[in-house]
Amino acid sequence: MDDSSTVEWVSIADLMSGLMMVFLLISLLFINEAQEKIKSFEDTKSLIYADLIEEFESDLTNWGAEIDKETLSLRFNEPEILFQNGSYELSSKFIIIIDSFFPRYINILNSEKYADKIEEIRIEGHTSSKGMSGQVSEEEKYFYNLELSQSRAKQVLFKSMKTLDPEKSNWVKGLIAASGYSSSRLIYQKNVDHEKTEDEALSRRVEFKIKVKTEEIINSMDFASKLAK
Protein backbone atom coordinates (compact mmCIF):
# COMPACT_ATOMS: atom_id res chain seq x y z
CA MET A 1 0.00 0.00 0.00
CA ASP A 2 1.49 3.39 -1.00
CA ASP A 3 1.56 6.49 1.19
CA SER A 4 -1.42 8.15 -0.56
CA SER A 5 -3.64 5.14 0.18
CA THR A 6 -2.56 5.17 3.80
CA VAL A 7 -3.36 8.86 4.14
CA GLU A 8 -6.80 8.33 2.51
CA TRP A 9 -7.57 5.43 4.86
CA VAL A 10 -6.55 7.44 7.92
CA SER A 11 -8.75 10.34 6.78
CA ILE A 12 -11.78 8.10 6.38
CA ALA A 13 -11.12 6.51 9.77
CA ASP A 14 -10.83 9.94 11.37
CA LEU A 15 -14.07 11.02 9.70
CA MET A 16 -15.93 7.95 10.95
CA SER A 17 -14.54 8.45 14.45
CA GLY A 18 -15.66 12.07 14.35
CA LEU A 19 -19.15 11.09 13.22
CA MET A 20 -19.40 8.50 15.96
CA MET A 21 -18.43 11.11 18.54
CA VAL A 22 -21.07 13.49 17.19
CA PHE A 23 -23.78 10.82 17.33
CA LEU A 24 -22.63 9.83 20.84
CA LEU A 25 -22.79 13.44 21.99
CA ILE A 26 -26.29 13.89 20.53
CA SER A 27 -27.41 10.66 22.15
CA LEU A 28 -26.07 11.74 25.53
CA LEU A 29 -27.80 15.10 25.21
CA PHE A 30 -31.14 13.43 24.51
CA ILE A 31 -30.63 10.95 27.37
CA ASN A 32 -29.86 13.85 29.71
CA GLU A 33 -32.98 15.67 28.49
CA ALA A 34 -35.08 12.55 29.03
CA GLN A 35 -33.71 12.16 32.56
CA GLU A 36 -34.59 15.77 33.31
CA LYS A 37 -38.12 15.18 32.01
CA ILE A 38 -38.43 12.04 34.14
CA LYS A 39 -37.38 14.06 37.19
CA SER A 40 -39.89 16.76 36.25
CA PHE A 41 -42.56 14.05 35.87
CA GLU A 42 -41.80 12.63 39.32
CA ASP A 43 -41.67 16.13 40.82
CA THR A 44 -45.08 16.93 39.33
CA LYS A 45 -46.57 13.76 40.84
CA SER A 46 -45.07 14.59 44.24
CA LEU A 47 -46.38 18.16 44.11
CA ILE A 48 -49.89 17.03 43.12
CA TYR A 49 -49.88 14.49 45.94
CA ALA A 50 -48.78 17.16 48.44
CA ASP A 51 -51.51 19.54 47.28
CA LEU A 52 -54.16 16.81 47.46
CA ILE A 53 -53.10 15.91 50.99
CA GLU A 54 -53.08 19.54 52.08
CA GLU A 55 -56.57 20.08 50.64
CA PHE A 56 -58.28 16.87 51.75
CA GLU A 57 -56.40 15.49 54.76
CA SER A 58 -59.00 16.66 57.25
CA ASP A 59 -61.81 15.09 55.19
CA LEU A 60 -60.36 11.69 54.34
CA THR A 61 -61.34 9.87 57.54
CA ASN A 62 -64.94 11.11 57.43
CA TRP A 63 -65.16 10.15 53.76
CA GLY A 64 -63.63 6.71 54.28
CA ALA A 65 -61.01 7.68 51.69
CA GLU A 66 -57.26 7.59 51.18
CA ILE A 67 -54.73 8.94 48.65
CA ASP A 68 -52.06 6.74 47.10
CA LYS A 69 -48.81 8.64 46.48
CA GLU A 70 -47.55 6.34 43.70
CA THR A 71 -50.71 6.19 41.58
CA LEU A 72 -52.23 9.55 42.62
CA SER A 73 -55.42 7.62 43.27
CA LEU A 74 -57.97 9.09 45.64
CA ARG A 75 -59.85 6.00 46.74
CA PHE A 76 -63.26 5.93 48.44
CA ASN A 77 -63.17 2.71 50.46
CA GLU A 78 -66.42 2.57 52.41
CA PRO A 79 -69.05 0.75 50.30
CA GLU A 80 -71.89 1.60 52.66
CA ILE A 81 -71.14 5.30 52.06
CA LEU A 82 -71.12 4.93 48.28
CA PHE A 83 -74.06 2.83 47.05
CA GLN A 84 -76.73 0.46 48.24
CA ASN A 85 -75.73 -3.16 47.74
CA GLY A 86 -76.29 -4.17 44.12
CA SER A 87 -77.30 -0.63 43.10
CA TYR A 88 -75.60 2.05 41.02
CA GLU A 89 -77.59 4.90 42.57
CA LEU A 90 -75.39 7.14 44.69
CA SER A 91 -76.21 7.32 48.38
CA SER A 92 -77.28 10.70 49.77
CA LYS A 93 -74.05 10.81 51.80
CA PHE A 94 -71.87 10.15 48.75
CA ILE A 95 -73.67 12.92 46.83
CA ILE A 96 -72.79 15.36 49.63
CA ILE A 97 -69.19 14.15 49.55
CA ILE A 98 -68.90 14.64 45.78
CA ASP A 99 -70.40 18.13 46.06
CA SER A 100 -67.58 19.04 48.44
CA PHE A 101 -64.79 16.98 46.91
CA PHE A 102 -64.92 17.35 43.14
CA PRO A 103 -64.81 21.15 42.66
CA ARG A 104 -61.83 21.38 45.02
CA TYR A 105 -60.17 18.45 43.27
CA ILE A 106 -60.50 20.11 39.87
CA ASN A 107 -59.35 23.48 41.24
CA ILE A 108 -56.03 21.82 42.06
CA LEU A 109 -55.64 20.01 38.74
CA ASN A 110 -56.77 23.00 36.67
CA SER A 111 -54.39 25.39 38.40
CA GLU A 112 -51.55 27.03 36.47
CA LYS A 113 -49.10 24.55 38.01
CA TYR A 114 -50.76 21.46 36.56
CA ALA A 115 -53.35 22.26 33.87
CA ASP A 116 -51.00 21.53 30.94
CA LYS A 117 -49.44 18.50 32.64
CA ILE A 118 -52.58 16.39 33.12
CA GLU A 119 -53.16 13.73 30.49
CA GLU A 120 -56.20 12.00 31.96
CA ILE A 121 -58.56 11.99 34.94
CA ARG A 122 -60.23 8.61 35.35
CA ILE A 123 -63.10 7.55 37.57
CA GLU A 124 -62.98 3.81 38.25
CA GLY A 125 -65.72 1.58 39.61
CA HIS A 126 -64.66 -1.68 41.30
CA THR A 127 -66.62 -4.53 42.87
CA SER A 128 -65.81 -7.56 44.98
CA SER A 129 -65.98 -11.03 43.45
CA LYS A 130 -69.42 -11.54 44.99
CA GLY A 131 -72.61 -10.74 43.16
CA MET A 132 -75.83 -12.39 42.02
CA SER A 133 -77.42 -14.84 44.39
CA GLY A 134 -78.18 -18.42 43.47
CA GLN A 135 -76.35 -20.90 41.31
CA VAL A 136 -74.48 -18.80 38.77
CA SER A 137 -71.14 -19.26 37.06
CA GLU A 138 -68.03 -17.17 37.72
CA GLU A 139 -68.40 -15.72 34.22
CA GLU A 140 -71.99 -14.63 34.92
CA LYS A 141 -70.90 -12.99 38.19
CA TYR A 142 -68.04 -11.21 36.42
CA PHE A 143 -70.25 -9.69 33.74
CA TYR A 144 -72.93 -8.78 36.27
CA ASN A 145 -70.29 -6.93 38.29
CA LEU A 146 -68.84 -5.41 35.14
CA GLU A 147 -72.15 -3.80 34.24
CA LEU A 148 -72.64 -2.70 37.85
CA SER A 149 -69.16 -1.15 38.15
CA GLN A 150 -69.52 0.64 34.80
CA SER A 151 -72.91 2.05 35.80
CA ARG A 152 -71.51 3.24 39.11
CA ALA A 153 -68.52 4.95 37.49
CA LYS A 154 -70.81 6.73 35.02
CA GLN A 155 -73.16 7.88 37.78
CA VAL A 156 -70.22 9.29 39.75
CA LEU A 157 -68.99 11.07 36.62
CA PHE A 158 -72.45 12.49 35.91
CA LYS A 159 -72.83 13.81 39.45
CA SER A 160 -69.27 15.13 39.58
CA MET A 161 -69.63 17.15 36.37
CA LYS A 162 -72.78 18.78 37.76
CA THR A 163 -70.67 20.42 40.47
CA LEU A 164 -68.54 22.45 38.02
CA ASP A 165 -69.01 25.81 36.36
CA PRO A 166 -69.01 25.80 32.50
CA GLU A 167 -65.37 26.87 32.15
CA LYS A 168 -64.02 24.11 34.39
CA SER A 169 -66.48 21.64 32.92
CA ASN A 170 -65.17 22.22 29.38
CA TRP A 171 -61.58 21.65 30.52
CA VAL A 172 -62.48 18.45 32.36
CA LYS A 173 -64.49 17.02 29.45
CA GLY A 174 -61.34 16.78 27.35
CA LEU A 175 -59.58 14.71 29.99
CA ILE A 176 -62.04 12.65 32.02
CA ALA A 177 -63.22 9.09 31.53
CA ALA A 178 -65.31 6.64 33.55
CA SER A 179 -64.52 2.93 33.58
CA GLY A 180 -65.84 -0.15 35.35
CA TYR A 181 -63.47 -3.00 36.17
CA SER A 182 -65.83 -5.53 37.74
CA SER A 183 -63.86 -7.76 40.12
CA SER A 184 -60.68 -7.78 38.03
CA ARG A 185 -58.69 -5.65 40.50
CA LEU A 186 -59.50 -7.06 43.89
CA ILE A 187 -57.83 -5.92 47.10
CA TYR A 188 -56.41 -8.66 49.31
CA GLN A 189 -55.42 -8.96 52.94
CA LYS A 190 -53.33 -11.57 54.75
CA ASN A 191 -55.10 -13.81 57.25
CA VAL A 192 -53.60 -15.33 60.41
CA ASP A 193 -51.97 -18.06 58.31
CA HIS A 194 -50.36 -15.38 56.08
CA GLU A 195 -52.52 -16.44 53.16
CA LYS A 196 -54.05 -13.83 50.91
CA THR A 197 -57.82 -13.51 51.07
CA GLU A 198 -60.08 -11.05 49.32
CA ASP A 199 -61.06 -7.97 51.30
CA GLU A 200 -64.61 -7.71 50.01
CA ALA A 201 -65.31 -4.31 51.57
CA LEU A 202 -62.17 -2.63 50.21
CA SER A 203 -62.67 -4.27 46.82
CA ARG A 204 -66.02 -2.45 46.50
CA ARG A 205 -64.69 1.03 45.89
CA VAL A 206 -64.55 4.10 43.64
CA GLU A 207 -61.23 5.64 42.63
CA PHE A 208 -60.32 8.99 41.09
CA LYS A 209 -56.99 8.64 39.27
CA ILE A 210 -54.71 11.20 37.66
CA LYS A 211 -52.38 10.42 34.77
CA VAL A 212 -49.56 12.92 34.25
CA LYS A 213 -48.30 13.46 30.69
CA THR A 214 -45.41 11.16 29.75
CA GLU A 215 -45.39 11.25 25.93
CA GLU A 216 -42.50 13.74 25.69
CA ILE A 217 -40.39 11.59 28.00
CA ILE A 218 -41.07 8.42 25.98
CA ASN A 219 -40.33 10.16 22.67
CA SER A 220 -37.03 11.55 23.99
CA MET A 221 -35.93 8.16 25.29
CA ASP A 222 -36.93 6.37 22.07
CA PHE A 223 -34.97 8.85 19.94
CA ALA A 224 -31.90 8.60 22.16
CA SER A 225 -32.11 4.80 22.03
CA LYS A 226 -32.22 4.81 18.22
CA LEU A 227 -29.20 7.11 18.01
CA ALA A 228 -27.21 4.91 20.35
CA LYS A 229 -27.71 1.82 18.17
Side-chain angles (χ1 to χ4, degrees):
M1 181 180 292
D2 59 29
D3 291 341
S4 61
S5 298
T6 302
V7 171
E8 182 180 351
W9 172 252
V10 171
S11 298
I12 293 173
D14 288 343
L15 177 61
M16 294 301 295
S17 296
L19 288 173
M20 287 297 296
M21 290 299 295
V22 170
F23 278 112
L24 179 60
L25 178 60
I26 293 173
S27 178
L28 290 173
L29 288 173
F30 272 95
I31 290 172
N32 183 63
E33 182 182 357
Q35 289 175 335
E36 290 178 356
K37 288 178 178 177
I38 290 171
K39 184 178 184 303
S40 176
F41 167 75
E42 294 297 338
D43 289 346
T44 297
K45 286 181 64 178
S46 295
L47 289 170
I48 291 174
Y49 173 76
D51 283 348
L52 290 175
I53 287 293
E54 182 179 0
E55 178 67 34
F56 297 116
E57 188 170 23
S58 62
D59 297 304
L60 294 176
T61 300
N62 290 335
W63 291 350
E66 62 183 337
I67 303 173
D68 186 288
K69 186 175 183 178
E70 294 302 316
T71 62
L72 294 181
S73 172
L74 197 152
R75 182 182 300 132
F76 291 95
N77 288 322
E78 298 291 340
E80 65 272 13
I81 291 178
L82 307 177
F83 310 93
Q84 292 295 323
N85 190 35
S87 171
Y88 60 81
E89 294 296 332
L90 280 64
S91 72
S92 57
K93 187 170 183 178
F94 195 29
I95 289 173
I96 293 171
I97 290 172
I98 291 175
D99 284 340
S100 172
F101 158 71
F102 198 67
R104 294 155 62 193
Y105 183 69
I106 295 304
N107 281 342
I108 293 172
L109 302 185
N110 187 233
S111 66
E112 289 186 7
K113 286 195 294 184
Y114 307 126
D116 62 346
K117 297 179 180 179
I118 304 300
E119 183 173 326
E120 184 182 50
I121 303 165
R122 189 165 68 247
I123 299 173
E124 297 183 353
H126 299 270
T127 71
S128 69
S129 62
K130 306 302 179 185
M132 300 183 70
S133 57
Q135 297 295 319
V136 294
S137 67
E138 291 299 315
E139 185 176 8
E140 287 173 316
K141 282 196 292 186
Y142 172 81
F143 283 108
Y144 168 82
N145 283 325
L146 180 62
E147 183 176 354
L148 180 61
S149 62
Q150 288 174 337
S151 297
R152 286 176 170 177
K154 287 196 297 185
Q155 283 293 105
V156 173
L157 173 58
F158 177 77
K159 176 55 186 170
S160 296
M161 295 299 290
K162 291 289 186 182
T163 68
L164 302 178
D165 61 51
E167 182 180 348
K168 293 285 176 61
S169 179
N170 287 335
W171 181 79
V172 171
K173 284 176 184 176
L175 299 170
I176 201 161
S179 303
Y181 289 91
S182 186
S183 55
S184 62
R185 300 183 182 182
L186 299 174
I187 292 179
Y188 295 91
Q189 60 182 354
K190 288 185 178 180
N191 60 23
V192 291
D193 297 321
H194 300 287
E195 296 176 344
K196 288 200 314 181
T197 57
E198 178 186 348
D199 189 317
E200 293 182 21
L202 288 181
S203 293
R204 298 195 298 270
R205 65 198 188 277
V206 170
E207 298 188 30
F208 286 76
K209 285 189 174 179
I210 303 160
K211 185 176 181 182
V212 178
K213 287 181 179 177
T214 58
E215 185 176 352
E216 290 183 358
I217 299 172
I218 294 169
N219 288 343
S220 295
M221 295 184 72
D222 284 348
F223 189 67
S225 175
K226 290 174 183 176
L227 284 174
K229 289 182 180 179

